[in-house]
Amino acid sequence: MEIMQTLKEDLQITENKKQEVDATYNVIFEIIIRITSEMNNVIKTVHKLRSTQSECTNSINELKDEIDLHDASCINVFRNEAADLEKKIAQESGLEKALDENVQQLQETVESLDAEAKRCGDLRHNLHTLIDSLKDQLRELTREKERHRHEFQHATRKLQEIRQTIQCATGEFEIQETAVKKVVSNATEKCPRINTTRLANQIKTLLTELGDKIREIENQFGCLDELRRQLKEKEEKYGVNIEFAAQLKQSCEKHIERVEHRQNMFLQLRDLYSVCVQKAFTNVLSLTQYKGTVVIDHTNKLLDLHVSVRNDEESSKDTKSFSRDERSYSTVAFILALWGCTRLPFYFLGEFDVFIDKVNRRVITDILLDYAKLHPQSQFAFFTPLDTLF
């Protein structure tokens, strides 16, 4: 409809332009007719003047002949008349020249008006073509409008049928809804409503299975009323114990949560201490010509020490292949690593240098003394059966 209205407005505008062009064409055509009539009048006047000029020329010639025949006194008279006639001829010649220029201007005006009339004719022809195309579009839109009108009438009839169907379905739905509400109210009296995504067949199957199971339980333990009566009697008899058991259960759950939290904290601390012991053991070994690592396996409860000479990249010894010096030095290093992860007021270490030569004994003693100096907040006691003078 909007397209048809737009095309109608364009057609009306085109009709208005056509009328304006026709009016302009008629005005120009009238101007051309008027100018043509004026030009014809001018041409007639020019022909008349030319004929008058010819007559005057003939008269002059005749007068000249007559002047030759007359006396000298008459000659002056005729000469004066001839001069007057020549002046008149000159004036008429100027007037004829002006008329020629006017005719030339009028011809140019006529040519320009012819070009304008031709342009207006072409414009009029183009407007006719545009109007024809708009009329074709208008006819096409009219046919489409008619087709849409028929479709609308068909859709209206169909909508009425659908509305009637909806009314019938609404009535049926209200009847079914009333029946469903009644059934739901009856079911709600027996059991609270349960939201589920299962299908009706699945629910029926489950209902059948539960009915069979309920009958089996009733055959085994008795009916529901009897069980409720027994439960009520037991609640009256053991109600206090039940509340106490519930409190104990809550307290047990809280204690279990605390134990789990403590276990998690213990595992975190254990892993942290393991890393600290490994780093401390490596740092203590790095003070001498040895290097090594300690691997603590909490799952299998194993402690594995690996010690080797610092400049030896290939050899690596475990605790079974240690010499006495290496075993004692590794033991002291491991003990210092353990001390670094604990904070105690007293530390005691005895017979740490029994199986060590003098050089390593001096090194280990210096390490122990330096460690004691670095921890003045604690007291250290080192026992040895050997001489402490070096």
Short mmCIF file of all heavy atoms in Angstrom, two decimals, residues 32-88:
data_model
loop_
_atom_site.label_atom_id
_atom_site.label_comp_id
_atom_site.label_asym_id
_atom_site.label_seq_id
_atom_site.Cartn_x
_atom_site.Cartn_y
_atom_site.Cartn_z
N ILE A 32 6.12 32.21 -30.76
CA ILE A 32 6.67 31.95 -32.11
C ILE A 32 5.70 32.44 -33.17
O ILE A 32 6.09 33.07 -34.19
CB ILE A 32 6.96 30.45 -32.26
CG1 ILE A 32 8.13 30.03 -31.34
CG2 ILE A 32 7.28 30.10 -33.70
CD1 ILE A 32 8.34 28.55 -31.26
N ILE A 33 4.38 32.17 -32.96
CA ILE A 33 3.37 32.62 -33.96
C ILE A 33 3.37 34.14 -34.06
O ILE A 33 3.35 34.74 -35.16
CB ILE A 33 1.98 32.09 -33.58
CG1 ILE A 33 1.96 30.56 -33.72
CG2 ILE A 33 0.89 32.73 -34.44
CD1 ILE A 33 0.71 29.92 -33.18
N ARG A 34 3.42 34.80 -32.86
CA ARG A 34 3.41 36.26 -32.86
C ARG A 34 4.65 36.81 -33.53
O ARG A 34 4.57 37.76 -34.34
CB ARG A 34 3.29 36.77 -31.42
CG ARG A 34 3.09 38.29 -31.35
CD ARG A 34 2.82 38.77 -29.92
NE ARG A 34 3.97 38.55 -29.05
CZ ARG A 34 4.01 37.61 -28.13
NH1 ARG A 34 2.98 36.79 -27.96
NH2 ARG A 34 5.07 37.48 -27.37
N ILE A 35 5.80 36.22 -33.21
CA ILE A 35 7.04 36.71 -33.82
C ILE A 35 7.03 36.45 -35.32
O ILE A 35 7.51 37.26 -36.14
CB ILE A 35 8.24 36.05 -33.15
CG1 ILE A 35 8.37 36.56 -31.70
CG2 ILE A 35 9.52 36.35 -33.90
CD1 ILE A 35 9.40 35.85 -30.88
N THR A 36 6.46 35.29 -35.72
CA THR A 36 6.40 34.99 -37.16
C THR A 36 5.52 35.99 -37.91
O THR A 36 5.87 36.47 -39.00
CB THR A 36 5.83 33.57 -37.36
OG1 THR A 36 6.63 32.65 -36.60
CG2 THR A 36 5.85 33.17 -38.81
N SER A 37 4.38 36.35 -37.26
CA SER A 37 3.50 37.36 -37.90
C SER A 37 4.20 38.71 -37.99
O SER A 37 4.14 39.41 -39.02
CB SER A 37 2.20 37.46 -37.12
OG SER A 37 2.47 37.91 -35.80
N GLU A 38 4.91 39.06 -36.89
CA GLU A 38 5.64 40.32 -36.92
C GLU A 38 6.73 40.29 -37.98
O GLU A 38 6.97 41.27 -38.68
CB GLU A 38 6.25 40.59 -35.54
CG GLU A 38 5.22 40.93 -34.47
CD GLU A 38 5.85 41.13 -33.11
OE1 GLU A 38 7.09 40.98 -33.03
OE2 GLU A 38 5.12 41.47 -32.15
N MET A 39 7.41 39.13 -38.10
CA MET A 39 8.47 39.02 -39.11
C MET A 39 7.87 39.13 -40.51
O MET A 39 8.46 39.77 -41.41
CB MET A 39 9.20 37.69 -38.94
CG MET A 39 10.42 37.57 -39.85
SD MET A 39 11.34 36.06 -39.51
CE MET A 39 10.12 34.86 -40.00
N ASN A 40 6.69 38.54 -40.71
CA ASN A 40 6.03 38.66 -42.03
C ASN A 40 5.68 40.12 -42.33
O ASN A 40 5.86 40.61 -43.47
CB ASN A 40 4.78 37.80 -42.05
CG ASN A 40 5.12 36.32 -42.01
OD1 ASN A 40 6.17 35.91 -42.53
ND2 ASN A 40 4.26 35.50 -41.42
N ASN A 41 5.18 40.81 -41.27
CA ASN A 41 4.87 42.24 -41.47
C ASN A 41 6.11 43.04 -41.82
O ASN A 41 6.10 43.92 -42.70
CB ASN A 41 4.22 42.81 -40.21
CG ASN A 41 2.85 42.21 -39.95
OD1 ASN A 41 2.14 41.85 -40.90
ND2 ASN A 41 2.46 42.09 -38.69
N VAL A 42 7.22 42.72 -41.10
CA VAL A 42 8.49 43.42 -41.39
C VAL A 42 8.96 43.14 -42.81
O VAL A 42 9.44 44.02 -43.53
CB VAL A 42 9.55 43.02 -40.35
CG1 VAL A 42 10.92 43.55 -40.75
CG2 VAL A 42 9.17 43.57 -38.97
N ILE A 43 8.82 41.85 -43.21
CA ILE A 43 9.25 41.49 -44.59
C ILE A 43 8.40 42.23 -45.61
O ILE A 43 8.90 42.74 -46.64
CB ILE A 43 9.15 39.96 -44.76
CG1 ILE A 43 10.23 39.26 -43.89
CG2 ILE A 43 9.32 39.58 -46.23
CD1 ILE A 43 10.07 37.78 -43.82
N LYS A 44 7.08 42.31 -45.35
CA LYS A 44 6.21 43.07 -46.27
C LYS A 44 6.62 44.53 -46.32
O LYS A 44 6.69 45.14 -47.40
CB LYS A 44 4.76 42.95 -45.79
CG LYS A 44 4.16 41.57 -46.00
CD LYS A 44 2.72 41.53 -45.48
CE LYS A 44 2.12 40.14 -45.65
NZ LYS A 44 0.74 40.08 -45.13
N THR A 45 6.92 45.09 -45.12
CA THR A 45 7.37 46.49 -45.09
C THR A 45 8.66 46.67 -45.87
O THR A 45 8.85 47.67 -46.60
CB THR A 45 7.56 46.94 -43.63
OG1 THR A 45 6.35 46.71 -42.89
CG2 THR A 45 7.91 48.41 -43.54
N VAL A 46 9.59 45.70 -45.72
CA VAL A 46 10.88 45.78 -46.45
C VAL A 46 10.62 45.73 -47.96
O VAL A 46 11.22 46.50 -48.76
CB VAL A 46 11.81 44.64 -46.00
CG1 VAL A 46 13.02 44.55 -46.91
CG2 VAL A 46 12.26 44.88 -44.55
N HIS A 47 9.73 44.78 -48.38
CA HIS A 47 9.42 44.71 -49.83
C HIS A 47 8.76 46.01 -50.33
O HIS A 47 9.08 46.50 -51.43
CB HIS A 47 8.46 43.53 -50.09
CG HIS A 47 9.14 42.19 -49.97
ND1 HIS A 47 10.29 41.85 -50.65
CD2 HIS A 47 8.83 41.09 -49.22
CE1 HIS A 47 10.66 40.64 -50.36
NE2 HIS A 47 9.77 40.15 -49.47
N LYS A 48 7.91 46.54 -49.46
CA LYS A 48 7.25 47.80 -49.84
C LYS A 48 8.26 48.93 -49.97
O LYS A 48 8.23 49.73 -50.94
CB LYS A 48 6.20 48.14 -48.79
CG LYS A 48 5.37 49.36 -49.14
CD LYS A 48 4.30 49.56 -48.07
CE LYS A 48 3.45 50.79 -48.39
NZ LYS A 48 2.41 51.03 -47.36
N LEU A 49 9.21 48.97 -49.00
CA LEU A 49 10.25 50.01 -49.06
C LEU A 49 11.15 49.81 -50.26
O LEU A 49 11.59 50.78 -50.90
CB LEU A 49 11.05 50.00 -47.76
CG LEU A 49 10.30 50.49 -46.49
CD1 LEU A 49 11.17 50.27 -45.25
CD2 LEU A 49 9.95 51.97 -46.62
N ARG A 50 11.44 48.54 -50.53
CA ARG A 50 12.30 48.29 -51.71
C ARG A 50 11.59 48.72 -53.00
O ARG A 50 12.21 49.28 -53.93
CB ARG A 50 12.67 46.81 -51.74
CG ARG A 50 13.74 46.46 -50.72
CD ARG A 50 14.09 44.99 -50.79
NE ARG A 50 15.13 44.66 -49.82
CZ ARG A 50 15.57 43.42 -49.59
NH1 ARG A 50 15.05 42.41 -50.28
NH2 ARG A 50 16.53 43.22 -48.69
N SER A 51 10.27 48.41 -53.02
CA SER A 51 9.52 48.87 -54.23
C SER A 51 9.47 50.40 -54.31
O SER A 51 9.61 51.01 -55.39
CB SER A 51 8.11 48.27 -54.20
OG SER A 51 7.41 48.75 -53.05
N THR A 52 9.29 51.00 -53.11
CA THR A 52 9.30 52.48 -53.08
C THR A 52 10.64 53.03 -53.52
O THR A 52 10.74 54.03 -54.24
CB THR A 52 8.98 52.96 -51.66
OG1 THR A 52 7.74 52.40 -51.23
CG2 THR A 52 8.89 54.47 -51.59
N GLN A 53 11.76 52.32 -53.05
CA GLN A 53 13.10 52.72 -53.45
C GLN A 53 13.27 52.62 -54.97
O GLN A 53 13.86 53.50 -55.61
CB GLN A 53 14.15 51.86 -52.73
CG GLN A 53 15.59 52.26 -53.04
CD GLN A 53 16.59 51.36 -52.30
OE1 GLN A 53 16.17 50.39 -51.69
NE2 GLN A 53 17.85 51.72 -52.39
N SER A 54 12.74 51.54 -55.52
CA SER A 54 12.84 51.36 -56.98
C SER A 54 12.07 52.48 -57.71
O SER A 54 12.55 53.07 -58.71
CB SER A 54 12.29 50.00 -57.37
OG SER A 54 13.03 48.99 -56.76
N GLU A 55 10.88 52.75 -57.15
CA GLU A 55 10.08 53.83 -57.79
C GLU A 55 10.80 55.17 -57.68
O GLU A 55 10.83 55.96 -58.65
CB GLU A 55 8.71 53.91 -57.10
CG GLU A 55 7.83 52.71 -57.41
CD GLU A 55 6.52 52.78 -56.65
OE1 GLU A 55 6.36 53.74 -55.85
OE2 GLU A 55 5.69 51.85 -56.81
N CYS A 56 11.40 55.41 -56.49
CA CYS A 56 12.13 56.68 -56.32
C CYS A 56 13.32 56.75 -57.26
O CYS A 56 13.65 57.81 -57.83
CB CYS A 56 12.58 56.82 -54.87
SG CYS A 56 11.22 57.07 -53.71
N THR A 57 14.00 55.61 -57.40
CA THR A 57 15.17 55.59 -58.32
C THR A 57 14.72 55.87 -59.75
O THR A 57 15.37 56.65 -60.51
CB THR A 57 15.86 54.24 -58.22
OG1 THR A 57 16.22 53.98 -56.85
CG2 THR A 57 17.12 54.22 -59.07
N ASN A 58 13.63 55.26 -60.14
CA ASN A 58 13.10 55.50 -61.49
C ASN A 58 12.70 56.97 -61.67
O ASN A 58 12.95 57.60 -62.72
CB ASN A 58 11.91 54.60 -61.74
CG ASN A 58 12.32 53.13 -61.80
OD1 ASN A 58 13.45 52.82 -62.23
ND2 ASN A 58 11.44 52.23 -61.37
N SER A 59 12.06 57.51 -60.59
CA SER A 59 11.65 58.91 -60.65
C SER A 59 12.85 59.82 -60.78
O SER A 59 12.85 60.83 -61.53
CB SER A 59 10.84 59.28 -59.39
OG SER A 59 9.68 58.49 -59.30
N ILE A 60 13.93 59.47 -60.00
CA ILE A 60 15.17 60.29 -60.08
C ILE A 60 15.74 60.25 -61.49
O ILE A 60 16.19 61.27 -62.05
CB ILE A 60 16.16 59.79 -59.04
CG1 ILE A 60 15.69 60.15 -57.62
CG2 ILE A 60 17.56 60.37 -59.29
CD1 ILE A 60 16.47 59.49 -56.53
N ASN A 61 15.75 59.06 -62.05
CA ASN A 61 16.31 58.95 -63.41
C ASN A 61 15.47 59.75 -64.40
O ASN A 61 16.01 60.44 -65.30
CB ASN A 61 16.35 57.48 -63.82
CG ASN A 61 17.38 56.70 -62.99
OD1 ASN A 61 18.41 57.26 -62.59
ND2 ASN A 61 17.10 55.43 -62.75
N GLU A 62 14.15 59.61 -64.24
CA GLU A 62 13.27 60.39 -65.13
C GLU A 62 13.47 61.89 -64.95
O GLU A 62 13.50 62.67 -65.91
CB GLU A 62 11.81 60.00 -64.86
CG GLU A 62 11.48 58.58 -65.31
CD GLU A 62 10.06 58.22 -64.97
OE1 GLU A 62 9.37 59.07 -64.32
OE2 GLU A 62 9.64 57.07 -65.29
N LEU A 63 13.58 62.26 -63.62
CA LEU A 63 13.78 63.68 -63.35
C LEU A 63 15.12 64.17 -63.91
O LEU A 63 15.25 65.32 -64.37
CB LEU A 63 13.70 63.93 -61.84
CG LEU A 63 12.31 63.79 -61.21
CD1 LEU A 63 12.41 63.86 -59.70
CD2 LEU A 63 11.39 64.88 -61.74
N LYS A 64 16.12 63.32 -63.82
CA LYS A 64 17.41 63.70 -64.40
C LYS A 64 17.28 63.93 -65.90
O LYS A 64 17.86 64.86 -66.47
CB LYS A 64 18.47 62.62 -64.09
CG LYS A 64 18.98 62.66 -62.67
CD LYS A 64 20.06 61.60 -62.47
CE LYS A 64 20.60 61.64 -61.05
NZ LYS A 64 21.63 60.63 -60.84
N ASP A 65 16.51 63.02 -66.50
CA ASP A 65 16.32 63.21 -67.96
C ASP A 65 15.56 64.52 -68.24
O ASP A 65 15.89 65.26 -69.20
CB ASP A 65 15.51 62.02 -68.52
CG ASP A 65 16.32 60.73 -68.45
OD1 ASP A 65 17.59 60.81 -68.41
OD2 ASP A 65 15.72 59.62 -68.37
N GLU A 66 14.56 64.74 -67.40
CA GLU A 66 13.79 65.98 -67.60
C GLU A 66 14.63 67.20 -67.30
O GLU A 66 14.49 68.25 -67.94
CB GLU A 66 12.55 65.97 -66.69
CG GLU A 66 11.52 64.95 -67.13
CD GLU A 66 10.31 64.94 -66.21
OE1 GLU A 66 10.32 65.72 -65.21
OE2 GLU A 66 9.39 64.13 -66.45
N ILE A 67 15.53 67.06 -66.27
CA ILE A 67 16.43 68.18 -65.94
C ILE A 67 17.33 68.51 -67.14
O ILE A 67 17.62 69.69 -67.41
CB ILE A 67 17.25 67.84 -64.69
CG1 ILE A 67 16.37 67.90 -63.44
CG2 ILE A 67 18.45 68.79 -64.54
CD1 ILE A 67 17.00 67.35 -62.22
N ASP A 68 17.78 67.49 -67.80
CA ASP A 68 18.62 67.75 -68.97
C ASP A 68 17.84 68.51 -70.05
O ASP A 68 18.42 69.31 -70.82
CB ASP A 68 19.13 66.41 -69.54
CG ASP A 68 20.12 65.76 -68.58
OD1 ASP A 68 20.74 66.49 -67.74
OD2 ASP A 68 20.27 64.50 -68.58
N LEU A 69 16.54 68.27 -70.10
CA LEU A 69 15.73 68.90 -71.12
C LEU A 69 15.34 70.34 -70.73
O LEU A 69 15.08 71.16 -71.59
CB LEU A 69 14.48 68.07 -71.39
CG LEU A 69 14.74 66.65 -71.97
CD1 LEU A 69 13.42 65.89 -72.04
CD2 LEU A 69 15.37 66.76 -73.35
N HIS A 70 15.19 70.59 -69.48
CA HIS A 70 14.75 71.92 -69.05
C HIS A 70 15.92 72.90 -68.97
O HIS A 70 17.08 72.52 -69.16
CB HIS A 70 14.07 71.80 -67.67
CG HIS A 70 12.73 71.13 -67.76
ND1 HIS A 70 12.57 69.77 -67.86
CD2 HIS A 70 11.48 71.68 -67.77
CE1 HIS A 70 11.30 69.49 -67.91
NE2 HIS A 70 10.59 70.66 -67.87
N ASP A 71 15.55 74.06 -68.64
CA ASP A 71 16.55 75.14 -68.56
C ASP A 71 17.41 75.01 -67.34
O ASP A 71 17.14 74.20 -66.47
CB ASP A 71 15.81 76.50 -68.56
CG ASP A 71 15.06 76.75 -69.88
OD1 ASP A 71 15.54 76.23 -70.90
OD2 ASP A 71 14.01 77.39 -69.79
N ALA A 72 18.44 75.93 -67.32
CA ALA A 72 19.37 75.89 -66.19
C ALA A 72 18.69 76.28 -64.91
O ALA A 72 19.02 75.76 -63.82
CB ALA A 72 20.54 76.85 -66.46
N SER A 73 17.68 77.15 -64.96
CA SER A 73 16.99 77.55 -63.74
C SER A 73 16.19 76.39 -63.15
O SER A 73 16.14 76.17 -61.95
CB SER A 73 16.06 78.75 -64.02
OG SER A 73 15.11 78.38 -65.02
N CYS A 74 15.65 75.65 -64.03
CA CYS A 74 14.88 74.48 -63.56
C CYS A 74 15.80 73.40 -63.00
O CYS A 74 15.40 72.59 -62.15
CB CYS A 74 14.05 73.93 -64.72
SG CYS A 74 12.78 75.10 -65.27
N ILE A 75 17.04 73.40 -63.54
CA ILE A 75 17.99 72.36 -63.07
C ILE A 75 18.24 72.51 -61.59
O ILE A 75 18.29 71.52 -60.84
CB ILE A 75 19.30 72.44 -63.88
CG1 ILE A 75 19.05 72.03 -65.31
CG2 ILE A 75 20.40 71.60 -63.24
CD1 ILE A 75 20.21 72.26 -66.25
N ASN A 76 18.42 73.75 -61.11
CA ASN A 76 18.67 73.94 -59.67
C ASN A 76 17.50 73.48 -58.84
O ASN A 76 17.67 72.86 -57.76
CB ASN A 76 18.95 75.43 -59.39
CG ASN A 76 20.27 75.87 -60.03
OD1 ASN A 76 21.21 75.10 -60.13
ND2 ASN A 76 20.32 77.12 -60.48
N VAL A 77 16.32 73.78 -59.34
CA VAL A 77 15.13 73.35 -58.61
C VAL A 77 15.10 71.82 -58.51
O VAL A 77 14.88 71.23 -57.44
CB VAL A 77 13.86 73.89 -59.28
CG1 VAL A 77 12.62 73.34 -58.58
CG2 VAL A 77 13.84 75.43 -59.24
N PHE A 78 15.33 71.23 -59.65
CA PHE A 78 15.31 69.75 -59.67
C PHE A 78 16.43 69.15 -58.83
O PHE A 78 16.28 68.08 -58.22
CB PHE A 78 15.36 69.24 -61.10
CG PHE A 78 14.05 69.43 -61.83
CD1 PHE A 78 13.97 70.28 -62.94
CD2 PHE A 78 12.91 68.78 -61.39
CE1 PHE A 78 12.77 70.45 -63.61
CE2 PHE A 78 11.71 68.99 -62.09
CZ PHE A 78 11.63 69.81 -63.19
N ARG A 79 17.58 69.86 -58.82
CA ARG A 79 18.69 69.35 -58.00
C ARG A 79 18.32 69.37 -56.53
O ARG A 79 18.62 68.44 -55.78
CB ARG A 79 19.95 70.20 -58.24
CG ARG A 79 20.63 69.86 -59.54
CD ARG A 79 21.87 70.72 -59.71
NE ARG A 79 22.55 70.40 -60.96
CZ ARG A 79 23.63 71.02 -61.42
NH1 ARG A 79 24.13 72.03 -60.70
NH2 ARG A 79 24.18 70.64 -62.55
N ASN A 80 17.70 70.48 -56.14
CA ASN A 80 17.26 70.55 -54.75
C ASN A 80 16.28 69.43 -54.43
O ASN A 80 16.34 68.78 -53.37
CB ASN A 80 16.62 71.90 -54.45
CG ASN A 80 17.66 73.05 -54.52
OD1 ASN A 80 18.84 72.84 -54.21
ND2 ASN A 80 17.23 74.24 -54.92
N GLU A 81 15.37 69.20 -55.32
CA GLU A 81 14.41 68.11 -55.11
C GLU A 81 15.12 66.76 -55.06
O GLU A 81 14.79 65.88 -54.26
CB GLU A 81 13.35 68.13 -56.21
CG GLU A 81 12.43 69.33 -56.14
CD GLU A 81 11.40 69.32 -57.27
OE1 GLU A 81 11.50 68.39 -58.11
OE2 GLU A 81 10.52 70.19 -57.27
N ALA A 82 16.13 66.64 -55.98
CA ALA A 82 16.90 65.39 -55.98
C ALA A 82 17.64 65.18 -54.67
O ALA A 82 17.71 64.07 -54.12
CB ALA A 82 17.87 65.37 -57.15
N ALA A 83 18.20 66.30 -54.12
CA ALA A 83 18.91 66.18 -52.84
C ALA A 83 17.95 65.76 -51.75
O ALA A 83 18.27 64.91 -50.90
CB ALA A 83 19.59 67.52 -52.49
N ASP A 84 16.74 66.39 -51.78
CA ASP A 84 15.75 66.00 -50.78
C ASP A 84 15.38 64.53 -50.92
O ASP A 84 15.27 63.78 -49.90
CB ASP A 84 14.51 66.86 -50.92
CG ASP A 84 14.79 68.33 -50.57
OD1 ASP A 84 15.74 68.53 -49.76
OD2 ASP A 84 14.06 69.20 -51.03
N LEU A 85 15.23 64.12 -52.20
CA LEU A 85 14.89 62.71 -52.41
C LEU A 85 16.02 61.77 -51.96
O LEU A 85 15.77 60.68 -51.40
CB LEU A 85 14.55 62.48 -53.88
CG LEU A 85 13.25 63.13 -54.38
CD1 LEU A 85 13.13 62.99 -55.90
CD2 LEU A 85 12.06 62.49 -53.69
N GLU A 86 17.29 62.18 -52.19
CA GLU A 86 18.43 61.35 -51.76
C GLU A 86 18.47 61.22 -50.23
O GLU A 86 18.76 60.16 -49.68
CB GLU A 86 19.73 61.95 -52.29
CG GLU A 86 19.90 61.73 -53.80
CD GLU A 86 21.19 62.37 -54.32
OE1 GLU A 86 21.88 63.03 -53.49
OE2 GLU A 86 21.53 62.16 -55.49
N LYS A 87 18.18 62.38 -49.56
CA LYS A 87 18.13 62.33 -48.10
C LYS A 87 17.05 61.37 -47.64
O LYS A 87 17.23 60.56 -46.70
CB LYS A 87 17.88 63.72 -47.53
CG LYS A 87 19.08 64.65 -47.68
CD LYS A 87 18.72 66.03 -47.10
CE LYS A 87 19.89 67.01 -47.24
NZ LYS A 87 19.58 68.36 -46.69
N LYS A 88 15.89 61.49 -48.33
CA LYS A 88 14.79 60.59 -47.97
C LYS A 88 15.17 59.13 -48.19
O LYS A 88 14.87 58.23 -47.38
CB LYS A 88 13.56 60.98 -48.79
CG LYS A 88 12.31 60.27 -48.36
CD LYS A 88 11.13 60.80 -49.15
CE LYS A 88 9.85 60.10 -48.71
NZ LYS A 88 8.66 60.58 -49.46
#
